[in-house]
Amino acid sequence: MTQTQKKPTNPKKTQSEPPSSSSSSSRTGMKLIVPLQAVVQGRNGFLLGSLIPLSLFYFLQLYLKRRRSENNNNTPSSPTTLLLPRSSSRSNLSSRGSISRVRVSKLANVVAKRDDSLYYVGIERVEKDPYHVKFNPNGIIQLGLSDNKLSLDLIEKWLVKNLEGSMMGNEDINLSINGIAPYQSFHGLNELKIALADFMHQVMGGSVEFDPSNMVLTSGATPAIEILSFCLADHGNAFLVPTPYYPGFDRDVRWRPGIDLIPVHCRSTDNFNLNITALEQAFSQARKRGVKVRGILISNPSNPVGNILTPDMLFSLLDFAEDKNIHIIADEVFAGSTYGSEEFVSIAEVLDSEYIDKSRVHIVYGLSKDLSIAGFRVGVIHSHNKTVLDAAKKMSRFSAISAPTQRLVTSMLSDKRFIQEYIETNRNRIRRVHDEFVDCLTKLGIKCAKSSAGMFCWADMSGLIRPYSEKGELELWEKFMSVAKINITPGSACHCIEPGWFRICFTTISFEEIPVVIDRIRKVVESCKSSD
Amino acid sequence: MKLLSTKATCNSHGQDSSYFLGWEEYEKNPYDNVHNPKGIIQMGLAENQLSFDLLESWLAKNPDASGFKRDGKSIFRELALFQDYHGMPAFKQALVDFMAEIRGNKVTFDPNHIVLTAGSTSANETLMFCLAEKGEAFLLPTPYYPGFDRDLKWRTGVEIVPIHCTSSNNFQVTEQALQQAYQEAQKRNLKVKGVMVTNPSNPLGTTMSRSELNLLVDFIKENKDMHLISDEIYSGTVFSSPNFISVMEILKDRNDFNNSKDADNIFERVHVVYSLSKDLGLPGFRVGAIYSENDTVVAAATKMSSFGLISSQTQYLLSAMLGDKKFTKNYLAENLKRLKKRQNKLVSGLQKAGISCLESNAGLFCWVDMRHLLHSNTFEAEMELWKKIVYQVGLNISPGSSCHCTEPGWFRVCFANMSEETLKLAMKRLKAFVVESTGNVNGVTTKSTKRNLLTKWVFRLSSRDQRDQQEER
């Protein structure tokens, strides 16, 4: 998001007054008056005859212009009828009526505006009318948030078993308030770092060790990305990011660190896999424009596509970063949610086996996806770069994990038997729902990109959109929202270059609810086909 | 070597200041009454450890709150996925009720105007991002909390211009000092976006007077682009009179700001920061809040709180605790009693050592006057004295220079983060040191040459260590 000043009246808005008709009528009026006056009053009359109507005409235009701009300020936002430009760095649309005359920062004005990305709009619409199997069966089903609801029961069971009397100092589970309430090192209790390093080792296949002293803990993966952005680049620099990408990156990287995200477009012909040539092109184009690229931001497993980077691809990526002398931020939050035949390989593993400058690779992880506890806010920055670690440790003061949560999570992660069981069961459940869901979609004629991980499928609905453009995609999104009553994320929100792709999360529903969702999708599919 | 950002490589995080260096010394050699009786006693950490037992007993009586249960039923699933940056409504309500209770219910707060953040550290930084551009400035009265240099300036690029306060009037803010600070900012070509105060003050331990607060409100009334931030995180530690007056109370009482007549938008330019780290003694929980009547600030800060959300587990636990009005009433009263008692012990212990301090009625520390122990009225002398106290006497206290005080010789000494015995020991050590270095406790200096040589040798050693440390960074 660029921080340009808000532009005055947006001519693209569809709700404009029709002043053109009245100005043309006043113009014809003028054509009548002037000669009339001239006839009536002779030479001077001609002057007066032109001055007076001219000034009247001028004031009329002024009045109409002011009315027009007021109306534009007061119209409510209707994002679905707006044609959003297909570029990835969207310029700000005019602010919809700033309420106060008090000066706040430019950033505050930008951030406070209603976000028109359909990713966020969709989430909001669900909040107003959320589906509930009993209390609101006609509500909107949330398939636009990658929350993992499939295995919460396992954690709940563990809590019930282990929390009894633990606040008073059960030996195994120490949750007493004494010792945790005071200031701890903000970058995370050592016990938690050790437990997390172990968990990451397990969840990523058991082939790479993480050193707790290379870790800084943060309140979720969101601040981890922001902190790394602050550390690795200055205001006005840029990161390359393969598209489609997670919409949240735009906030994490652009807002406060002020770093731009340059999209590197991936194509369906490649199954949206990373393309080094495209990276090279994007890098040199940026350099020509005078923009300093400081790093590459990737998510692996990828959000929203769900594909995994092969070891070969990881090596190529590292070579590229080495060649350009830039950093790599690897967001690996979905590492534990693999369901395909491909095995996940962390970039850390590749670092181990090859002589590469380890200090350029920084991994982000968290427990929101793999352990389902997004509300508890547990994130990790892992880096070999001592300067980055030092700076990140200090910055983690602004995003520290709450102490009781640190204690609880440490205990949970230390129960190795439970964790082993959880990881396996969770993976199986994800696979089961994924396979069934994709199967049903295929029967409806909707193909998904090949994926091996994640909590969503990347569905190709380009056959259903008319026209084959972002506009068509937005209209289909609105149909899904208002007719089918499901919230799915359109590819444009993820900066996908090809229209018609949608991210559909399947971990927010149970296996039994799949037919309900498929039924609703079928309604839209059939209505699209019948209107052909 | 790939480049890193200037933020990562500069030191405007202020962490090289003596305030933090003292902490590090303490970490290397922490006092423990059994295992390390000669270690350094931590008196530089403003923590409230006096009332843990009250919290613990509440938790023991209310296992549902920490067991993810409501009325015996598990609400774990609700909590596990709750990451709404608008915050848990029940918690926000309990928090604003608590804040109102601390202010004697003379002001109330609307929960829709509260933004939850991971600690007041995050709240202060977020407000800077919302109110000022890079390179603009806020005026802060000195002495101020050393952490502000990091919290307000580091990642935001905002500047701090000090409002110099002196002991001549107990460090109160004066009109003259305020104007001088404003001129100073003009000279430095800095646009001033407002004033930020801590009330009750850290490190002074005093509450701001009505006239000081009115002075500040008048100032931003005149300068219509300016904001006033009141960091009130110590509002629940006011143990003796005068009573605490919140800036919100001042606004309410003035009759030039009835809502209909608020042509100056004053209500939209005053913001309050709060936290549970001091009043409830729970800094590890990371609970802070911004209160603002400015809708743009609330909207922006709410979204920015994604970068520092409070764990849902903690929100739920505290909503239950703070919702127990009987508990909060009792806690607030008992906590204040204990703070007052402990502060008295510190003050009398210091007196016995011939040291006076600023008369204080709040906070977890005293602002101690050791000017008479300096061998010259300079900050170098203050540093020398500080090093002696840390390394020789074994007390980590915070020197006034780290708080940007304009007068050398003042130190902040905390009293609420240790047991009574430890405090007694600290006072004993201090008294012994004063007697030794001045010959007696009346402030008359009679140094023997032998002692002089010995102490000089100790300084040389310690300053070498200091230099080595700084090089290590």
Side-chain angles (χ1 to χ4, degrees):
Chain A
M1 226 181 275
T2 51
Q3 294 186 14
T4 51
Q5 286 291 74
K6 57 183 203 282
K7 303 216 163 20
T9 57
N10 187 341
K12 287 193 211 139
K13 287 222 166 37
T14 50
Q15 296 97 333
S16 48
E17 289 288 285
S20 42
S21 49
S22 49
S23 63
S24 58
S25 62
S26 52
R27 247 180 248 127
T28 36
M30 263 262 292
K31 290 191 189 125
L32 283 174
I33 293 176
V34 175
L36 268 176
Q37 292 254 342
V39 166
V40 167
Q41 289 181 10
R43 232 177 345 147
N44 283 342
F46 191 83
L47 208 65
L48 276 175
S50 38
L51 263 180
I52 295 172
L54 257 175
S55 44
L56 282 175
F57 175 66
Y58 169 72
F59 286 119
L60 175 69
Q61 288 294 5
L62 206 64
Y63 166 68
L64 287 168
K65 200 172 176 193
R66 215 176 280 141
R67 268 250 319 251
R68 206 188 312 148
S69 60
E70 267 174 30
N71 274 336
N72 270 337
N73 273 340
N74 290 336
T75 45
S77 56
S78 44
T80 52
T81 57
L82 272 170
L83 235 109
L84 298 160
R86 193 45 110 152
S87 67
S88 52
S89 60
R90 298 203 172 104
S91 50
N92 295 330
L93 302 169
S94 61
S95 101
R96 292 175 183 88
S98 42
I99 325 135
S100 139
R101 288 160 284 147
V102 172
R103 284 265 301 277
V104 293
S105 70
K106 287 191 212 128
L107 180 62
N109 280 318
V110 165
V111 172
K113 274 189 347 218
R114 277 197 66 234
D115 206 310
D116 41 18
S117 159
L118 294 186
Y119 175 72
Y120 297 104
V121 172
I123 293 175
E124 259 178 51
R125 297 266 289 260
V126 175
E127 276 169 10
K128 297 204 179 99
D129 180 16
Y131 167 84
H132 187 280
V133 62
K134 239 197 290 175
F135 305 123
N136 190 16
N138 290 325
I140 308 176
I141 301 183
Q142 176 66 284
L143 301 172
L145 269 182
S146 62
D147 279 341
N148 183 5
K149 289 190 183 168
L150 300 179
S151 309
L152 282 176
D153 59 312
L154 298 175
I155 304 195
E156 200 169 22
K157 233 185 284 179
W158 183 92
L159 284 174
V160 165
K161 202 169 86 172
N162 293 280
L163 271 190
E164 285 300 305
S166 55
M167 281 314 268
M168 290 325 290
N170 177 335
E171 263 138 38
D172 299 328
I173 313 295
N174 180 8
L175 285 181
S176 71
I177 202 176
N178 207 341
I180 62 169
Y183 280 108
Q184 306 288 347
S185 53
F186 288 102
H187 46 91
L189 292 173
N190 258 328
E191 305 93 70
L192 180 53
K193 286 189 188 177
I194 295 171
L196 274 168
D198 247 343
F199 180 71
M200 287 165 73
H201 164 80
Q202 251 189 302
V203 104
M204 295 187 188
S207 31
V208 59
E209 298 284 343
F210 292 95
D211 185 350
S213 59
N214 287 338
M215 287 165 53
V216 172
L217 305 189
T218 58
S219 51
T222 299
I225 303 264
E226 194 196 38
I227 288 175
L228 278 175
S229 304
F230 272 121
C231 289
L232 302 178
D234 289 320
H235 216 273
N237 295 156
F239 291 152
L240 298 177
V241 57
T243 70
Y245 64 83
Y246 160 59
F249 282 163
D250 284 321
R251 294 184 164 186
D252 304 345
V253 175
R254 289 180 203 263
W255 269 1
R256 306 193 304 188
I259 296 163
D260 198 10
L261 284 175
I262 297 177
V264 179
H265 293 298
C266 304
R267 315 268 166 185
S268 56
T269 41
D270 281 335
N271 197 48
F272 295 98
N273 278 312
L274 187 58
N275 183 328
I276 295 292
T277 322
L279 276 177
E280 291 272 359
Q281 270 177 353
F283 185 88
S284 46
Q285 274 170 11
R287 204 187 353 201
K288 276 194 210 119
R289 290 196 326 259
V291 172
K292 256 210 187 121
V293 171
R294 292 294 199 98
I296 310 168
L297 173 59
I298 60 164
S299 60
N300 175 35
S302 153
N303 178 4
V305 180
N307 47 17
I308 292 180
L309 288 174
T310 60
D312 267 346
M313 204 60 233
L314 288 170
F315 279 121
S316 313
L317 190 60
L318 283 165
D319 285 337
F320 175 78
E322 188 82 24
D323 181 40
K324 309 289 187 241
N325 195 15
I326 58 179
H327 295 272
I328 299 177
I329 302 177
D331 180 355
E332 301 190 339
V333 290
F334 289 101
S337 62
T338 49
Y339 44 73
S341 48
E342 264 182 273
E343 231 185 59
F344 172 74
V345 175
S346 165
I347 197 169
E349 203 177 320
V350 167
L351 278 185
D352 267 350
S353 56
E354 173 105 343
Y355 181 73
I356 291 270
D357 185 358
K358 292 186 182 163
S359 64
R360 67 172 77 252
V361 175
H362 319 279
I363 296 175
V364 168
Y365 189 65
L367 297 183
S368 301
K369 314 295 178 187
D370 289 347
L371 204 59
S372 325
I373 48 175
F376 289 8
R377 317 308 307 148
V378 180
V380 182
I381 296 174
H382 179 280
S383 174
H384 291 276
N385 189 317
K386 189 161 181 311
T387 316
V388 169
L389 282 175
D390 276 347
K393 278 185 191 152
K394 297 186 181 101
M395 290 188 190
S396 66
R397 251 200 88 108
F398 300 105
S399 316
I401 308 178
S402 194
T405 302
Q406 293 201 50
R407 271 280 161 87
L408 175 66
V409 173
T410 307
S411 302
M412 204 186 289
L413 295 180
S414 307
D415 187 346
K416 293 292 169 72
R417 220 174 48 154
F418 163 70
I419 290 296
Q420 186 60 39
E421 188 202 315
Y422 173 89
I423 293 177
E424 266 178 49
T425 314
N426 183 43
R427 219 175 245 145
N428 287 336
R429 290 181 182 180
I430 295 180
R431 179 184 304 121
R432 188 167 168 245
V433 178
H434 165 266
D435 289 350
E436 174 70 16
F437 198 73
V438 170
D439 200 40
C440 292
L441 283 178
T442 316
K443 291 202 181 100
L444 283 181
I446 299 173
K447 289 236 175 68
C448 295
K450 186 168 160 304
S451 62
S452 341
M455 298 175 176
F456 32 70
C457 41
W458 186 236
D460 184 2
M461 313 233 196
S462 51
L464 301 173
I465 62 176
R466 296 277 174 282
Y468 179 70
S469 69
E470 190 174 334
K471 183 161 182 285
E473 183 184 284
L474 299 190
E475 284 174 6
L476 182 59
W477 176 83
E478 182 59 48
K479 239 190 242 179
F480 274 117
M481 181 64 81
S482 33
V483 172
K485 301 232 120 175
I486 61 174
N487 175 38
I488 56 181
T489 309
S492 53
C494 305
H495 306 271
C496 185
I497 195 81
E498 300 177 18
W501 291 85
F502 285 80
R503 185 189 82 164
I504 310 177
C505 299
F506 52 73
T507 51
T508 46
I509 54 170
S510 65
F511 188 85
E512 291 70 35
E513 282 169 326
I514 295 180
V516 178
V517 173
I518 294 294
D519 220 28
R520 296 188 182 197
I521 298 180
R522 179 180 299 117
K523 252 193 254 169
V524 171
V525 171
E526 284 172 359
S527 92
C528 287
K529 295 229 169 98
S530 65
S531 62
D532 279 349
Chain B
M1 230 313 260
K2 325 121 283 312
L3 297 167
L4 294 175
S5 68
T6 44
K7 286 185 186 73
T9 47
C10 72
N11 62 1
S12 60
H13 47 69
Q15 216 114 322
D16 296 333
S17 106
S18 47
Y19 177 77
F20 297 103
L21 293 177
W23 274 30
E24 285 180 18
E25 276 316 296
Y26 163 75
E27 307 258 301
K28 283 189 219 155
N29 180 18
Y31 168 79
D32 181 280
N33 66 341
V34 170
H35 304 292
N36 189 15
K38 293 225 169 68
I40 300 180
I41 298 177
Q42 173 67 288
M43 304 189 88
L45 183 53
E47 247 182 46
N48 180 3
Q49 293 180 12
L50 302 184
S51 308
F52 272 160
D53 57 313
L54 301 176
L55 299 171
E56 282 180 328
S57 77
W58 187 92
L59 285 170
K61 290 196 214 125
N62 294 273
D64 268 10
S66 34
F68 304 95
K69 292 207 186 100
R70 187 189 290 137
D71 303 325
K73 278 211 326 247
S74 168
I75 53 163
F76 168 70
R77 288 182 209 223
E78 223 179 276
L79 295 177
L81 294 175
F82 182 81
Q83 38 177 335
D84 183 358
Y85 50 42
H86 292 101
M88 207 173 276
F91 177 51
K92 289 205 291 188
Q93 186 62 55
L95 185 61
V96 301
D97 288 344
F98 187 65
M99 288 167 71
E101 193 176 346
I102 287 175
R103 290 157 182 74
N105 287 309
K106 295 198 204 103
V107 279
T108 52
F109 298 89
D110 179 353
N112 292 319
H113 288 281
I114 281 269
V115 178
L116 298 177
T117 61
S120 65
T121 301
S122 179
N124 286 323
E125 190 196 41
T126 299
L127 269 179
M128 286 297 115
F129 274 120
C130 288
L131 301 178
E133 311 295 340
K134 193 163 183 240
E136 295 183 336
F138 262 81
L139 308 179
L140 263 72
T142 65
Y144 63 75
Y145 162 58
F148 281 157
D149 287 323
R150 171 199 53 215
D151 300 348
L152 307 181
K153 292 172 27 171
W154 191 20
R155 305 192 303 182
T156 61
V158 172
E159 284 299 328
I160 296 178
V161 176
I163 304 170
H164 295 295
C165 301
T166 63
S167 55
S168 58
N169 70 341
N170 290 329
F171 295 96
Q172 291 197 30
V173 178
T174 63
E175 164 110 45
Q176 195 191 37
L178 189 52
Q179 293 300 336
Q180 264 175 9
Y182 185 71
Q183 303 304 333
E184 170 72 26
Q186 307 287 74
K187 247 189 268 163
R188 285 167 59 180
N189 242 323
L190 295 170
K191 177 149 195 234
V192 177
K193 261 337 202 358
V195 181
M196 175 158 174
V197 298
T198 310
N199 176 29
S201 161
N202 175 9
L204 300 176
T206 54
T207 49
M208 289 184 82
S209 65
R210 210 170 263 278
S211 51
E212 275 177 287
L213 289 167
N214 275 309
L215 171 67
L216 293 170
V217 172
D218 286 336
F219 182 69
I220 64 162
K221 179 182 172 185
E222 259 185 61
N223 296 286
K224 297 198 196 305
D225 268 352
M226 292 202 199
H227 296 261
L228 177 59
I229 303 175
S230 180
D231 182 339
E232 302 188 347
I233 65 175
Y234 290 99
S235 48
T237 65
V238 181
F239 48 77
S240 63
S241 62
N243 279 335
F244 171 63
I245 305 170
S246 166
V247 69
M248 299 305 285
E249 205 185 312
I250 296 286
L251 287 184
K252 216 174 98 165
D253 287 348
R254 285 171 68 131
N255 53 19
D256 47 349
F257 298 138
N258 293 328
N259 270 322
S260 54
K261 295 203 282 178
D262 186 10
D264 306 305
N265 300 108
I266 275 276
F267 279 96
E268 290 179 36
R269 298 191 280 127
V270 175
H271 320 276
V272 173
V273 169
Y274 188 58
S275 156
L276 295 180
S277 302
K278 312 297 177 184
D279 293 347
L280 273 189
L282 301 173
F285 280 42
R286 311 313 302 141
V287 179
I290 298 171
Y291 183 83
S292 174
E293 310 241 342
N294 184 316
D295 288 334
T296 311
V297 170
V298 171
T302 300
K303 290 190 190 167
M304 288 189 199
S305 70
S306 317
F307 303 108
L309 291 178
I310 304 178
S311 161
S312 58
Q313 171 194 18
T314 303
Q315 289 194 52
Y316 179 64
L317 174 60
L318 292 175
S319 72
M321 192 188 278
L322 296 183
D324 184 345
K325 301 290 165 80
K326 218 171 78 165
F327 166 75
T328 57
K329 190 157 166 228
N330 175 52
Y331 177 90
L332 286 172
E334 180 63 28
N335 183 43
L336 290 180
K337 249 201 313 205
R338 297 182 186 185
L339 284 174
K340 182 171 184 180
K341 212 171 124 197
R342 189 58 73 81
Q343 186 253 23
N344 283 343
K345 287 230 152 60
L346 174 64
V347 173
S348 56
L350 289 170
Q351 268 172 2
K352 290 200 190 100
I355 301 174
S356 65
C357 49
L358 184 71
E359 200 177 313
S360 67
N361 63 328
L364 308 174
F365 33 70
C366 285
W367 188 235
V368 176
D369 185 357
M370 301 211 205
R371 290 177 291 179
H372 60 295
L373 296 174
L374 298 181
H375 63 71
S376 66
N377 183 23
T378 61
F379 286 108
E380 288 72 37
E382 182 185 279
M383 267 300 112
E384 271 184 45
L385 177 59
W386 176 71
K387 280 180 207 155
K388 263 192 260 186
I389 295 181
V390 173
Y391 296 101
Q392 226 183 306
V393 184
L395 305 178
N396 177 34
I397 61 180
S398 311
S401 50
S402 69
C403 305
H404 303 274
C405 186
T406 39
E407 299 176 14
W410 292 88
F411 290 80
R412 187 190 80 168
V413 179
C414 301
F415 56 75
N417 63 312
M418 65 198 74
S419 70
E420 213 176 301
E421 291 73 41
T422 313
L423 183 60
K424 261 195 215 138
L425 173 63
M427 293 298 99
K428 232 173 54 186
R429 287 187 189 178
L430 194 56
K431 181 163 173 198
F433 164 74
V434 171
V435 167
E436 199 189 288
S437 64
T438 64
N440 57 45
V441 292
N442 290 331
V444 178
T445 45
T446 48
K447 293 196 189 112
S448 78
T449 41
K450 241 195 232 166
R451 217 174 282 140
N452 226 352
L453 285 172
L454 179 67
T455 45
K456 274 213 182 101
W457 176 69
V458 171
F459 298 163
R460 232 179 279 128
L461 279 184
S462 65
S463 50
R464 201 190 308 148
D465 284 348
Q466 196 80 337
R467 243 179 291 127
D468 284 346
Q469 252 181 52
Q470 285 180 340
E471 273 156 18
E472 262 170 25
R473 301 186 152 271

